[in-house]
Amino acid sequence: MEAYTTLGFLAAHTRRVRLGTMVTAATFRPPALLVKAVTTLDVLSGGRAWLGIGTGYHQGEADAMGLPLPPLPERFERLEETLRIATRMWANDTSPFEGRHFRLGGPVNSPQPLRRPHPPILIGGMGEQKTLRLVALHADACNLFDIPDGGRTIRHKLRVLAQHCEDAGRPYGEIEKTVSTRLGETESADGFAERCEAFAELGLDHVVVITNGPWTQDAVARLAQAADRVRTV
């Protein structure tokens, strides 16, 4: 289903859950329209929206749906300009924006989001030279991938992020560190809770859980049991 339509539905049927994508491709929507969508979601949900964003990667999806997916260097340029536009619109800066790829004559964002100074920004990806640098400069959270190597890759990526934060004069602790992982079809609640505890030991704050196919009642129940165990540790 289309993400922002679905998030609007969820906003009306929930009260506490945070609402955002994992993640929006920066090339699939004009930046001002994306900022307006996230702002609208934030206002209608009482301040629960996030902007989850990345460069995009799925060439097959782009070709099938007629969506733009330029070469990777250009995608990074578009992502950075989108982040700059979002920050300006959320600061109520309506002055013209002149970028390499986007030109906005007067980006009005009214109403402003309820969450101040703006909805949190999460950038997905693990690239050391560009993605994690953008996290240090613009984001409130990063999203890494669960790679089965005993935590070596995640430790290294977090060290790289810490260095980018130091270079940017940004406190490393301000950034929420998240990881995406799968809940196995036969994985027990205890087993998943142990994996979450291992993630925490690596320095990660938040686990984003995905499954193969739709969520089932059994999978949700196992996830809830695992969460209860983690909270009691």
Side-chain angles (χ1 to χ4, degrees), residues 105-154:
V108 175
N109 194 45
S110 179
Q112 283 288 298
L114 298 183
R115 186 74 174 265
R116 304 307 295 167
H118 56 72
I121 298 169
L122 178 147
I123 298 176
M126 299 173 68
E128 297 180 14
Q129 296 182 4
K130 294 184 178 180
T131 303
L132 294 179
R133 181 184 65 84
L134 289 176
V135 171
L137 292 174
H138 298 285
D140 303 283
C142 65
N143 182 248
L144 308 178
F145 310 131
D146 179 14
I147 296 177
D149 62 359
R152 288 189 298 274
T153 296
I154 287 177

Side-chain angles (χ1 to χ4, degrees), residues 92-114:
N92 205 26
D93 181 352
T94 61
S95 63
F97 177 88
E98 291 287 336
R100 181 173 182 178
H101 302 285
F102 303 112
R103 293 170 179 81
L104 285 69
V108 175
N109 194 45
S110 179
Q112 283 288 298
L114 298 183

Side-chain angles (χ1 to χ4, degrees), residues 14-224:
T14 61
R15 291 294 178 267
R16 294 183 300 160
V17 64
R18 293 184 286 180
L19 303 164
T21 62
M22 296 295 295
V23 292
T24 295
T27 57
F28 284 2
R29 292 172 174 83
L33 181 61
L34 175 60
V35 174
K36 291 286 288 183
V38 175
T39 300
T40 300
L41 180 65
D42 191 71
V43 171
L44 296 182
S45 69
R48 292 184 285 134
W50 280 59
L51 170 59
I53 193 166
T55 59
Y57 73 96
H58 201 310
Q59 189 69 57
E61 177 188 38
D63 292 343
M65 303 299 289
L67 298 169
L69 194 70
L72 187 58
E74 180 179 332
R75 299 206 302 270
F76 271 109
E77 293 171 355
R78 289 175 176 266
L79 171 59
E80 185 160 18
E81 288 189 19
T82 297
L83 292 167
R84 290 166 53 200
I85 290 168
T87 301
R88 288 176 58 161
M89 290 181 66
W90 284 329
N92 205 26
D93 181 352
T94 61
S95 63
F97 177 88
E98 291 287 336
R100 181 173 182 178
H101 302 285
F102 303 112
R103 293 170 179 81
L104 285 69
V108 175
N109 194 45
S110 179
Q112 283 288 298
L114 298 183
R115 186 74 174 265
R116 304 307 295 167
H118 56 72
I121 298 169
L122 178 147
I123 298 176
M126 299 173 68
E128 297 180 14
Q129 296 182 4
K130 294 184 178 180
T131 303
L132 294 179
R133 181 184 65 84
L134 289 176
V135 171
L137 292 174
H138 298 285
D140 303 283
C142 65
N143 182 248
L144 308 178
F145 310 131
D146 179 14
I147 296 177
D149 62 359
R152 288 189 298 274
T153 296
I154 287 177
R155 286 192 187 95
H156 173 68
K157 300 297 182 180
L158 291 178
R159 286 194 295 269
V160 171
L161 175 59
Q163 184 60 57
H164 282 307
C165 287
E166 182 176 341
D167 294 343
R170 173 95 182 273
Y172 174 71
E174 285 185 356
I175 297 172
E176 184 173 355
K177 294 84 176 175
T178 80
V179 62
S180 291
T181 190
R182 289 185 181 276
L183 176 66
E185 293 182 7
T186 60
E187 187 172 14
S188 69
D190 286 345
F192 188 74
E194 290 174 0
R195 288 209 289 127
C196 290
E197 291 161 7
F199 286 138
E201 291 175 0
L202 293 174
L204 296 166
D205 305 306
H206 188 114
V207 178
V208 179
V209 190
I210 55 180
T211 66
N212 294 321
W215 281 91
T216 65
Q217 289 185 342
D218 171 70
V220 172
R222 283 186 285 132
L223 194 61

